[in-house]
Amino acid sequence: MPTAPEPALSVRQVLGLERVLAGEPEVVAGAGQLDRPVRWVHVAEAADVGVMLSGGEMVLTTGVLLAGDVEAQAEYIRSLHRAEAAAVVLGLGRAFPATPDVMRRAAERCGLPMVVLHRPFPFAELTEEVQSRLVQRKFAAVSLSEAVRTALTGLITAGAPLQRLLDEVAGHSACPVVVTNLAHRVLATAGERSAVDDVLRDWERIARQAGGSEGDGWVRAELGGRGERWGRIVLCGYRGDGATGRLLADRAAEALVLHRMLGGPAPSWEEQSAQGLLTDLVSGVVPARQLLPRARAAGLPVNRRTFVPLVVRDGEPAQLDRVLRLLGMPGLVAELADGVTAVLLSLARDQDAEALATHFATRWRTESGAHKTVVAAADPRTVWDDVPAGLREAQHVADAVATTPTELDLPVVVRLRDVHLRGLIRLLRDDPHVQSFAERELDGLLCGDGAAEQELLPVLRTYLATGRNKSRTAQLHHVSRPALYRRLEAIEARLGVDLDDFEQAASVHIALLAHDAQQG
């Protein structure tokens, strides 16, 4: 990681000091270069002063050895330019009562700031003032560097997540902080929410245009190691001096690289970014419209698109994401909870959303070998504000499918219309009346020695799920028809019902669905 440059004052800042203003400074050349950093102030009258400089100096002179020699005056300016001096300050007086035109023109050609002082000014006061400020700034920068490094190292040691580190950086920089991959896709952000949203609203253009200029307060540091870059951290609109901003960015980059190296099997930053966005969408705590800049900055196409929310139980996020990439489908993949992964597809309006969702699910089942795993889907959404409801609908369908007997044939992509009564009961499972009803209807099987629940409840579940098909039920449970009849008779006796009666069978079926939903 590169060492942060020493903090410096700019030429403009030096000219704004109270002691300098007393000398009535006037910029006569190089006015467009006044933001150059001043590393040191050097008083020199020698004509060959350039050989004594190492760059970044503001040179103070009365020009006493240059008076009357226009070639020496021009060469003096050229030598300062070659030495990369920050600026030259000429005190008008006996040697030069007015601005020497030769020096002014030479300075303008070289782009070297040239300042003349119209009132007598003790150079010692200026050097003392500037050197004192530079030392103070350097000490403050070192202290800040150590404070930031100590804070971030402590967080890493404590196992803090990436977001906590970025919050710490944002606290020190007082501006939005953005972490991106090399394709400018936003992986994480920190800072005041409204300010971050302003940055993300037009992120693609800003990142490629304004992001390249640190003069606008954009300070970047590369992320990577072992000769490979994989991202960058950006301080967006940093208001302090550039040197301190670069120092902050460098310290932050060091910490993020270390955090990633020590991350172990934790989700990647890309996965965490998608997870945060989809979790916020599902929860509804943050309005969908406020999340739109984050989605766009994360690389999800959002303009004139059709969104297909999917939820997969027991699906590996990495495998699902790989299939998305293989098929060239734009989308986000994230684990919402243990064993529950959401996939948000973003398709062009003229594409067949349902057909592509089925194609994705089929390809994923083939690639992963999870031939029995069902993908739950909500109806396609063409308005971004409807996406949260779509994700919740897909979750609801996935929950309903989870309690469906595995023996039953279901489509590759299951939608709300496919779960029928089971979906409704899943929605009502927490209602006390439904819970009481289920307990009352199934009491004869649930309140016993446990054998009935283990042996008879699965038979009842299959029998009702197959539409009271006894042959199919016997086949699925690998028992003879007479053995199945005896079990059904035992169930009827324990529950006090006649399963051949449609209404009684429907009542027991609803109770069983409610019981399974509560257990699931």
Side-chain angles (χ1 to χ4, degrees), residues 31-118:
Q33 302 294 322
L34 296 183
D35 290 317
R36 283 184 174 183
V38 176
R39 189 181 59 81
W40 209 243
V41 176
H42 192 69
V43 180
E45 298 294 352
D48 58 349
V49 65
V51 299
M52 308 175 192
L53 306 180
S54 57
E57 295 89 352
M58 174 179 276
V59 176
L60 311 180
T61 183
T62 61
V64 65
L65 300 181
L66 303 174
D69 189 340
V70 294
E71 179 55 36
Q73 294 170 24
E75 176 56 27
Y76 183 83
I77 295 297
R78 290 193 292 267
S79 69
L80 293 181
H81 172 64
R82 289 193 296 270
E84 298 182 347
V88 58
V89 178
L90 174 67
L92 299 181
R94 182 163 51 89
F96 291 104
T99 303
D101 199 50
V102 172
M103 295 179 70
R104 183 190 60 77
R105 289 199 306 271
E108 195 65 57
R109 283 194 298 270
C110 294
L112 175 70
M114 179 176 175
V115 181
V116 296
L117 300 175
H118 289 279

Side-chain angles (χ1 to χ4, degrees), residues 369-386:
H371 300 295
K372 288 292 186 180
T373 302
V374 174
V375 176
D379 291 333
R381 264 60 178 176
T382 57
V383 178
W384 174 257
D385 287 349
D386 294 338

Side-chain angles (χ1 to χ4, degrees), residues 316-333:
E316 287 292 332
Q319 287 182 335
L320 289 161
D321 187 61
R322 187 169 67 85
V323 172
L324 267 187
R325 296 176 189 276
L326 284 173
L327 297 177
M329 290 186 182
L332 296 176
V333 179

Side-chain angles (χ1 to χ4, degrees), residues 9 17 19 124-134:
L9 292 167
L17 295 177
R19 290 189 179 184
E125 291 187 9
L126 176 56
T127 57
E128 179 184 1
E129 174 84 7
V130 174
Q131 317 302 37
S132 174
R133 287 176 178 266
L134 289 174

Side-chain angles (χ1 to χ4, degrees), residues 21-335:
L21 291 175
E24 297 182 7
E26 178 189 0
V27 179
V28 296
Q33 302 294 322
L34 296 183
D35 290 317
R36 283 184 174 183
V38 176
R39 189 181 59 81
W40 209 243
V41 176
H42 192 69
V43 180
E45 298 294 352
D48 58 349
V49 65
V51 299
M52 308 175 192
L53 306 180
S54 57
E57 295 89 352
M58 174 179 276
V59 176
L60 311 180
T61 183
T62 61
V64 65
L65 300 181
L66 303 174
D69 189 340
V70 294
E71 179 55 36
Q73 294 170 24
E75 176 56 27
Y76 183 83
I77 295 297
R78 290 193 292 267
S79 69
L80 293 181
H81 172 64
R82 289 193 296 270
E84 298 182 347
V88 58
V89 178
L90 174 67
L92 299 181
R94 182 163 51 89
F96 291 104
T99 303
D101 199 50
V102 172
M103 295 179 70
R104 183 190 60 77
R105 289 199 306 271
E108 195 65 57
R109 283 194 298 270
C110 294
L112 175 70
M114 179 176 175
V115 181
V116 296
L117 300 175
H118 289 279
R119 292 175 62 86
F121 183 84
F123 285 164
E125 291 187 9
L126 176 56
T127 57
E128 179 184 1
E129 174 84 7
V130 174
Q131 317 302 37
S132 174
R133 287 176 178 266
L134 289 174
V135 169
Q136 290 175 9
R137 290 164 73 89
K138 182 177 180 180
F139 178 77
V142 171
S143 299
L144 175 62
S145 175
E146 287 307 306
V148 172
R149 179 184 281 118
T150 300
L152 295 179
T153 302
L155 290 172
I156 293 172
T157 303
L162 170 66
Q163 188 60 54
R164 182 66 187 87
L165 269 67
L166 294 181
D167 289 340
E168 183 73 20
V169 175
H172 285 284
S173 64
C175 70
V177 176
V178 176
V179 175
T180 75
N181 62 16
L182 295 180
H184 300 286
R185 291 192 175 182
V186 175
L187 306 180
T189 62
E192 185 182 349
R193 190 72 263 163
S194 61
V196 171
D197 287 345
D198 286 342
V199 169
L200 297 185
R201 193 161 285 115
D202 196 15
W203 172 255
E204 187 69 17
R205 181 186 63 80
I206 294 175
R208 295 184 183 278
Q209 296 180 11
S213 173
E214 292 193 357
D216 296 327
W218 284 65
V219 188
R220 300 181 297 173
E222 301 298 325
L223 303 175
R226 299 174 182 172
E228 181 182 5
R229 293 189 302 120
W230 37 260
R232 56 179 60 90
I233 182 170
V234 187
L235 308 186
C236 308
Y238 180 70
R239 298 303 180 190
D241 67 271
T244 303
R246 287 190 293 275
L247 179 148
L248 278 172
D250 286 345
R251 294 296 84 82
E254 289 174 356
L256 296 190
V257 170
L258 180 60
H259 182 273
R260 182 159 173 147
M261 290 173 58
L262 299 179
S268 69
W269 291 355
E270 289 83 356
E271 291 169 338
Q272 292 180 48
S273 173
Q275 185 177 50
L277 176 58
L278 291 182
T279 299
D280 285 347
L281 278 169
V282 170
S283 69
V285 173
V286 182
R289 187 158 298 278
Q290 291 184 22
L291 297 172
L292 191 59
R294 283 172 59 187
R296 185 183 289 113
L300 185 74
V302 294
N303 294 331
R304 297 186 58 78
R305 305 292 288 186
T306 296
F307 303 100
V308 183
L310 307 173
V311 169
V312 183
R313 282 186 170 274
D314 302 320
E316 287 292 332
Q319 287 182 335
L320 289 161
D321 187 61
R322 187 169 67 85
V323 172
L324 267 187
R325 296 176 189 276
L326 284 173
L327 297 177
M329 290 186 182
L332 296 176
V333 179
E335 189 174 44

